[in-house]
Amino acid sequence: MNDEEKKVMLAHGSGGRLTQELVQSVFAAGLGNPILDRMEDAATLELQGRLAFTTDSHVVSPLFFPGGDIGRLSLTGTVNDLAMMGAVPLYVAAGFIIEEGFPLAELGRIVTSMREASREAGVQVVAGDTKVVERGAADGVFITTSGIGLIPDGVRISAAAASPGDAVIVSGTIGDHGVAILSQRQGMDFEVELRSDCAPLGGLVRGMLEASRRIRVLRDPTRGGLAAVLNEIAIASGVSVEIDEERIPFRPEVRAASELLGLDPLVMANEGKLVAVVAAQDAGRVLEVMRSHSLGSEATVIGRVETAAGERPRVFARTILGSRRILSMPSGEQLPRIC
Amino acid sequence: MNDEEKKVMLAHGSGGRLTQELVQSVFAAGLGNPILDRMEDAATLELQGRLAFTTDSHVVSPLFFPGGDIGRLSLTGTVNDLAMMGAVPLYVAAGFIIEEGFPLAELGRIVTSMREASREAGVQVVAGDTKVVERGAADGVFITTSGIGLIPDGVRISAAAASPGDAVIVSGTIGDHGVAILSQRQGMDFEVELRSDCAPLGGLVRGMLEASRRIRVLRDPTRGGLAAVLNEIAIASGVSVEIDEERIPFRPEVRAASELLGLDPLVMANEGKLVAVVAAQDAGRVLEVMRSHSLGSEATVIGRVETAAGERPRVFARTILGSRRILSMPSGEQLPRIC
């Protein structure tokens, strides 16, 4: 059997010789570093200070998509959650659940993507685990990543820290990841390829924090999209948020595909974008720094925080015609396995 | 619909309103603590020193078994990996991958087990994630836990630290978890119930480290069992290990079930046992401390470390008849989903 045809077998998950071979030939070969290579039951890290710690499971379907794959996604997803606390992402652990029969060559591609994304993000994969389940008990590969980052002194980012008057910024075009995945699933063909925006945001955030210590909130609008994140911020901070719909940047092809598919891009997942709530007087400076970064070149102020006095925290979208509608927390959308 | 009949729906994984409801009603209600309750993108922790960091995916089938369930197992599995580095386990993050249609009541039972195990282990669950996949794309629930622990000053535990002359200790009976799971799967009925040994080992390890600073290696013999762990130690340390088969403690019912099922209990998973390699002069003291702990009451010296000079690192088992056989790294066993 040549390498192309080799498959993951149940015995690769047994904890014995084949598990060791898989770990050495795929995971250590792809992701190795002095900490991972020790192959102890846990990685040993030297760290001092305030840490951010997070986990995310990834079940995206299809596993490979324009702009990324589950390997890149699982690395950036966790790194971005750390960055949204203002932390410098440092270490990642990855748990793989693999369906029996999954091609080893595809697993290798996924691990290579993780390595590339970890280099972009400046993190090391220091611990891992592999389980194999019978054919039909999982769909291809699921990857759960967890991460540790270090929060610089003085940085206090929280979804609960938005105040009336603050500016609401998005770092770029909205809906790219979700629309790319869904149109690939539907087998839609556009003249321009729809690509996921999947990218690690730690570098962008570092620049923003150097420009201002009055960044109140950072969130990456993944599942549930911009609508979910703005509602979460409103609720956590006890404020209302008003955005101008016409200021939200969209790729024309994302807008076109959304219309064709009957999707609202405001609830579509993003995997390389952030929402920032920033003190109004610092908004210009933060925007400038963001626009000088490749992942923030289309950063835009889309709205501001308002008092929720006398009413429940809400998100309002001012439409192009000037009317104001409530942008609610998405509910009941059937968009499984977007990330 | 009453609570008994409620099921997890795809929309529970959408990131919107139903995700929030699930997180609040099941996860926050079951596992809540001041850090988790903040519901930020990552937990914030104050820690100083050498940390241990690990992850493990859990795909055990069946989800509920005598002595535990996937909730208890996923908590203890990760906590034990931290303890095997000599670390004091502190924080856990949990990623759930749930199959559409999974009963909410069962999810609640699993979360309750995690809470109980986290109390026994003295850890907090501080971060989590939930994904829902379509019916048939996963089998019930998979849980990936990751954990952070603090390694006390001066503690240097490593699979590579065994030296000739050291004593090899097991903390109790071998094979309990694996044989319990497999006989439940086979629908076998014994007069005495076969129970998993699933338990958090942090407290036992703490006592051992107080008794001796010459504990070289700690490993929990999970997948691949005692045979795999002894081989890993031999290879990592470049030594041979010789054990006396008749000294290995077994529950009589585990021995009986193994014979009936044609299984070798030395390759069966354990989830509440450890193997320790200890300097010979401290072995008595360590054993005494272990035996005074409920999880180490049957601790036994089963063998010792030898020079591998002139030959490959190997594990030898001295049989009851006095002959010596090679105990090899398990290979090809088809025991999927044991943990």
Side-chain angles (χ1 to χ4, degrees):
Chain A
M1 186 165 17
N2 66 37
D3 279 2
E4 279 302 297
E5 291 158 356
K6 283 187 185 156
K7 311 262 191 218
V8 175
M9 298 181 291
L10 283 174
H12 279 119
S14 68
R17 196 185 305 273
L18 281 167
T19 304
Q20 285 198 323
E21 281 178 24
L22 182 70
V23 167
Q24 288 302 331
S25 66
V26 177
F27 297 110
L31 299 167
N33 57 64
I35 303 174
L36 183 66
D37 295 347
R38 278 182 222 139
M39 295 287 160
E40 300 281 3
D41 276 353
T44 310
L45 315 172
E46 301 274 354
L47 282 169
Q48 309 263 20
R50 274 170 67 230
L51 303 183
F53 177 38
T54 192
T55 197
D56 254 331
S57 293
H58 297 85
V59 297
V60 67
S61 171
L63 294 171
F64 299 89
F65 47 83
D69 60 29
I70 193 171
R72 180 174 177 82
L73 182 68
S74 65
L75 198 291
T76 57
T78 280
V79 157
N80 288 348
D81 278 348
L82 297 173
M84 295 310 111
M85 300 303 291
V88 179
L90 293 173
Y91 300 110
V92 169
F96 289 76
I97 297 172
I98 309 174
E99 184 185 11
E100 176 190 14
F102 190 73
L104 270 173
E106 290 189 21
L107 188 61
R109 279 173 63 196
I110 289 167
V111 169
T112 300
S113 290
M114 286 185 87
R115 177 180 56 205
E116 285 165 9
S118 68
R119 286 188 184 160
E120 280 174 55
V123 299
Q124 289 182 295
V125 177
V126 294
D129 181 52
T130 311
K131 294 292 188 307
V132 182
V133 298
E134 323 86 274
R135 232 175 264 271
D139 186 13
V141 177
F142 301 146
I143 305 176
T144 301
T145 45
S146 45
I148 296 179
L150 202 53
I151 305 174
D153 284 344
V155 171
R156 301 263 164 197
I157 309 283
S158 164
S163 307
D166 290 347
V168 178
I169 299 175
V170 296
S171 62
T173 55
I174 288 298
D176 300 5
H177 175 78
V179 173
I181 296 285
L182 289 174
S183 37
Q184 201 196 352
R185 250 190 244 164
Q186 308 271 340
M188 291 178 72
D189 236 350
F190 291 90
E191 282 181 28
V192 185
E193 191 184 48
L194 288 161
R195 289 179 69 80
S196 166
D197 54 351
C198 191
L201 295 167
L204 176 65
V205 168
R206 219 163 307 167
M208 294 168 67
L209 290 172
E210 280 164 18
S212 166
R213 285 284 155 123
R214 282 180 290 199
I215 295 171
R216 319 292 196 194
V217 185
L218 293 171
R219 282 255 158 156
D220 54 337
T222 56
R223 274 184 301 175
L226 188 62
V229 155
L230 293 176
N231 274 283
E232 283 166 18
I233 295 170
I235 293 163
S237 295
V239 297
S240 283
V241 173
E242 182 170 304
I243 59 166
D244 255 341
E245 274 197 68
E246 61 187 313
R247 290 207 200 162
I248 301 170
F250 292 109
R251 289 193 194 172
E253 61 268 29
V254 166
R255 202 190 286 269
S258 301
E259 276 171 19
L260 266 168
L261 294 162
L263 301 168
D264 179 358
L266 295 184
V267 307
M268 289 290 117
N270 309 269
E271 293 291 345
K273 298 290 153 48
L274 62 80
V275 175
V277 177
V278 181
Q281 63 268 46
D282 285 6
R285 201 185 326 164
V286 170
L287 212 54
E288 197 181 322
V289 167
M290 292 177 77
R291 286 185 178 156
S292 71
H293 192 284
S294 60
L295 295 174
S297 56
E298 293 175 85
T300 313
V301 174
I302 60 161
R304 61 185 185 132
V305 178
E306 299 185 345
T307 312
E311 48 182 341
R312 282 172 42 197
R314 279 196 191 286
V315 180
F316 299 101
R318 199 164 283 284
T319 65
I320 291 161
L321 300 171
S323 65
R324 207 167 85 137
R325 68 178 176 106
I326 291 173
L327 184 64
S328 22
M329 179 67 88
S331 68
E333 269 79 11
Q334 303 270 323
L335 306 172
R337 304 185 59 187
I338 209 78
C339 60
Chain B
M1 188 166 12
N2 67 36
D3 279 359
E4 279 302 297
E5 290 158 357
K6 282 186 186 156
K7 309 264 190 219
V8 175
M9 299 182 289
L10 283 174
H12 279 119
S14 68
R17 194 185 308 273
L18 280 168
T19 303
Q20 285 198 322
E21 281 178 24
L22 183 69
V23 167
Q24 288 302 330
S25 66
V26 177
F27 298 109
L31 299 166
N33 57 63
I35 303 175
L36 183 67
D37 295 348
R38 279 183 222 138
M39 294 290 159
E40 301 281 2
D41 276 351
T44 310
L45 315 172
E46 302 272 355
L47 282 169
Q48 310 263 18
R50 273 170 67 231
L51 303 183
F53 177 38
T54 192
T55 196
D56 254 330
S57 293
H58 297 85
V59 298
V60 67
S61 170
L63 294 171
F64 299 89
F65 46 83
D69 60 28
I70 193 172
R72 179 172 178 83
L73 182 67
S74 64
L75 198 293
T76 58
T78 279
V79 158
N80 288 349
D81 277 347
L82 297 173
M84 294 310 111
M85 299 302 292
V88 179
L90 294 172
Y91 300 110
V92 170
F96 289 76
I97 297 172
I98 309 174
E99 184 185 12
E100 176 190 15
F102 190 74
L104 270 172
E106 290 190 19
L107 188 61
R109 278 173 64 198
I110 289 167
V111 169
T112 300
S113 289
M114 285 185 89
R115 176 180 57 207
E116 284 166 8
S118 68
R119 286 188 184 157
E120 279 174 54
V123 300
Q124 290 182 295
V125 178
V126 294
D129 182 52
T130 312
K131 294 292 187 308
V132 182
V133 298
E134 323 87 275
R135 231 175 265 269
D139 185 14
V141 178
F142 301 146
I143 305 177
T144 301
T145 45
S146 45
I148 296 178
L150 202 53
I151 304 175
D153 285 343
V155 171
R156 302 263 165 195
I157 308 283
S158 164
S163 308
D166 290 348
V168 178
I169 299 174
V170 296
S171 63
T173 55
I174 289 298
D176 300 5
H177 176 77
V179 173
I181 297 285
L182 289 175
S183 37
Q184 202 195 353
R185 251 191 242 163
Q186 307 272 341
M188 291 179 70
D189 236 350
F190 291 89
E191 282 182 27
V192 185
E193 190 183 49
L194 287 162
R195 290 177 69 80
S196 166
D197 54 351
C198 190
L201 295 167
L204 176 64
V205 168
R206 218 163 309 168
M208 293 167 68
L209 291 173
E210 280 164 19
S212 165
R213 285 285 154 123
R214 282 179 290 199
I215 295 171
R216 319 291 197 195
V217 186
L218 294 171
R219 283 256 157 154
D220 54 338
T222 56
R223 274 185 301 176
L226 189 61
V229 156
L230 293 176
N231 275 283
E232 284 166 18
I233 294 170
I235 292 163
S237 296
V239 296
S240 283
V241 173
E242 180 169 305
I243 59 165
D244 254 340
E245 273 197 69
E246 61 186 314
R247 291 207 199 160
I248 302 171
F250 293 108
R251 289 193 195 172
E253 60 269 28
V254 166
R255 202 189 286 268
S258 301
E259 277 170 19
L260 266 168
L261 293 163
L263 300 169
D264 178 358
L266 296 185
V267 306
M268 291 290 116
N270 307 271
E271 293 291 345
K273 298 290 153 45
L274 62 81
V275 174
V277 177
V278 181
Q281 65 266 46
D282 285 8
R285 202 186 323 165
V286 170
L287 212 55
E288 195 181 323
V289 167
M290 292 176 77
R291 287 185 178 154
S292 71
H293 191 283
S294 59
L295 295 174
S297 57
E298 293 174 85
T300 313
V301 174
I302 60 161
R304 61 184 184 132
V305 177
E306 299 185 347
T307 311
E311 49 183 341
R312 282 171 45 198
R314 283 199 187 285
V315 180
F316 299 100
R318 199 165 282 284
T319 65
I320 292 162
L321 299 172
S323 64
R324 208 168 85 138
R325 67 177 176 108
I326 291 173
L327 185 64
S328 24
M329 178 69 87
S331 68
E333 269 78 12
Q334 301 269 326
L335 306 170
R337 304 184 60 186
I338 209 76
C339 61

